């Protein structure tokens, strides 16, 4: 087995309604936390914190930083069936993605998959 050839793939996260457990129709494609784009986003956030030497971090700032890092892990989405955001099927843009990931129950589902390294290495 050539270990150099073992690389993570992407994973589709089927977003589930938090109350019913039913699929919502939104599917978000994510990259591994080992992906270089994700690592760059982490470094940017951490370097900014070190540069400003923030003595008091707010919960809001931590959430904002988490969304920035998670945004780097998302490579696309599909709005299947009647799934909509504010009445429309939004284009995949950084701003639209940040709006969707600002919803905690969606963000938690995406983050849980990104944090599960083994899922990105299945055959």
């Amino acid at each position: 087995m050539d270990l150099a050839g073992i690389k993570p793939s992407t994973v589709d996260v089927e977003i589930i309604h938090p109350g019913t457990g039913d699929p919502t129709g939104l599917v978000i494609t994510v990259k591994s936390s080992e992906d270089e784009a994700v690592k760059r986003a982490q470094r940017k956030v951490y370097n900014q914190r070190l540069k400003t030497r923030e003595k008091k971090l707010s919960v809001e700032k931590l959430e904002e930083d988490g969304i920035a890092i998670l945004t780097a892990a998302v490579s696309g989405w599909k709005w299947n069936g009647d799934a909509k955001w504010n009445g429309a099927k939004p284009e995949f843009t950084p701003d639209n993605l940040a709006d969707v990931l600002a919803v905690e129950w969606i963000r938690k589902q995406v983050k849980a998959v990104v944090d599960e390294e083994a899922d990105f290495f299945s055959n």
Side-chain angles (χ1 to χ4, degrees):
M1 172 185 312
D2 186 351
L3 299 181
I6 299 174
K7 307 249 186 260
S9 61
T10 59
V11 173
D12 286 340
V13 182
E14 187 170 20
I15 302 301
I16 303 300
H17 187 287
T20 65
D22 295 329
T24 62
L26 173 58
V27 178
I28 298 178
T29 303
V30 295
K31 300 176 274 188
S32 163
S33 61
E34 296 300 313
D35 184 87
E36 190 54 40
V38 179
K39 287 182 175 188
R40 274 194 308 273
Q42 288 172 329
R43 287 185 203 110
K44 182 178 178 181
V45 165
Y46 300 151
N47 284 333
Q48 185 62 36
R49 284 186 195 169
L50 289 171
K51 191 183 297 184
T52 61
R53 299 181 206 267
E54 295 179 58
K55 304 263 191 255
K56 287 174 71 176
L57 279 176
S58 67
V59 172
E60 291 81 7
K61 177 63 174 153
L62 291 173
E63 285 177 359
E64 182 182 308
D65 289 350
I67 290 170
I69 293 168
L70 199 55
T71 295
V74 176
S75 62
W77 60 24
K78 296 178 209 124
W79 294 84
N80 299 318
D82 63 354
K84 295 182 185 94
W85 185 260
N86 291 324
K89 294 181 185 266
E91 180 182 350
F92 182 71
T93 66
D95 287 340
N96 287 341
L97 178 58
D99 286 346
V100 171
L101 291 178
V103 177
E104 188 170 0
W105 62 269
I106 296 174
R107 185 173 63 249
K108 283 181 179 178
Q109 291 180 43
V110 173
K111 185 171 180 348
V113 173
V114 170
D115 289 344
E116 194 58 47
E117 182 178 34
D119 291 347
F120 294 92
F121 292 91
S122 61
N123 293 333

